[in-house]
Amino acid sequence: LIIYSTTDGQTKKICETIKDNSINRDSYEMISLEEAFYKEIEIYDKIIIGASIRYGRHNPKVYKFIEKNKSILEKKKSAFFSVNVVARKEEKNSPTTNPYIIKFLKKSNWRPKKIGVFAGKIDYPRLSLINKNVIRLIMFITNGPTNTKNTYEFTDWHSVKKFINEFDKI
């Protein structure tokens, strides 16, 4: 089972790539976090959860889902990955150096078998005026791209494929 919590669609796109590149691609089912609350997840052998960051936070429902299903998740072959633009920086693109993964592990108190972090995407033209300006300010402060006429995809697709190849071996 692949569960995604996405803000602008990049996490869902990463989940689709994970599914398509797994040796078990035909066995995986992919659903949104909202759907997952109504799913009997104990019937799955492997569970992957991917969640995006917006304004420094994962969706609070991600934590609620994990809390509700923690005992099941810990018995399964499970994985978690975070999608955030901070991971565009080499020094913050691993589970041991990414501040959002570190915070997630502490807050959720869940230890999946595999953990990943992928850089996301900024699609300025599709953002609302408020989001565009807030994200532009954050990018200015963190030396990121600020031209709001452009879209910037930072996802390292090779790393995404490596993640699922390693998870397939668990």
Side-chain angles (χ1 to χ4, degrees), residues 94-107:
S94 76
T96 57
T97 62
N98 186 271
Y100 299 117
I101 287 289
I102 294 165
K103 182 179 173 183
F104 170 82
L105 292 172
K106 192 178 286 185
K107 187 173 178 179

Side-chain angles (χ1 to χ4, degrees), residues 9 13 16 23 26 37 44 62 72 84 99 110 135 141 143 164:
K13 186 176 174 182
E16 289 166 346
I23 58 172
D26 295 330
F37 277 98
Y44 297 91
V62 173
I72 296 167
N84 56 79
W110 171 45
I135 291 172
I141 293 167
N143 296 315
I164 190 57

Side-chain angles (χ1 to χ4, degrees), residues 51-147:
S52 63
I53 289 287
R54 176 57 62 93
Y55 301 137
R57 296 189 182 104
H58 289 103
N59 182 334
K61 291 179 184 175
V62 173
Y63 294 104
K64 287 179 185 165
F65 180 81
I66 291 167
E67 184 181 332
K68 177 184 174 201
N69 295 287
K70 191 173 170 214
S71 63
I72 296 167
L73 291 167
E74 289 181 342
K75 293 175 191 168
K76 303 291 180 176
K77 294 175 183 173
S78 62
F80 175 81
F81 68 88
S82 178
V83 178
N84 56 79
V85 178
V86 168
R88 76 188 187 282
K89 296 181 176 190
E90 192 173 328
E91 69 275 12
K92 295 185 180 180
N93 70 359
S94 76
T96 57
T97 62
N98 186 271
Y100 299 117
I101 287 289
I102 294 165
K103 182 179 173 183
F104 170 82
L105 292 172
K106 192 178 286 185
K107 187 173 178 179
S108 71
N109 200 27
W110 171 45
R111 297 297 174 264
K113 308 278 187 282
K114 177 80 179 145
I115 302 169
V117 60
F118 307 114
K121 174 180 173 179
I122 299 173
D123 191 352
Y124 281 118
R126 296 188 76 200
L127 294 172
S128 70
L129 185 60
I130 292 171
N131 283 326
K132 186 180 296 188
N133 286 321
V134 171
I135 291 172
R136 183 172 185 253
L137 176 62
I138 293 166
M139 287 297 103
F140 177 77
I141 293 167
T142 62
N143 296 315
T146 57
N147 185 334

Side-chain angles (χ1 to χ4, degrees), residues 9-18 21 118-121 153-164:
Q10 191 71 0
T11 304
K12 182 178 181 184
K13 186 176 174 182
I14 291 169
C15 286
E16 289 166 346
T17 300
I18 286 171
N21 285 274
F118 307 114
K121 174 180 173 179
E153 184 175 67
F154 302 104
T155 308
D156 178 348
W157 296 105
H158 174 75
S159 293
V160 173
K161 292 172 186 174
K162 183 179 176 193
F163 175 86
I164 190 57

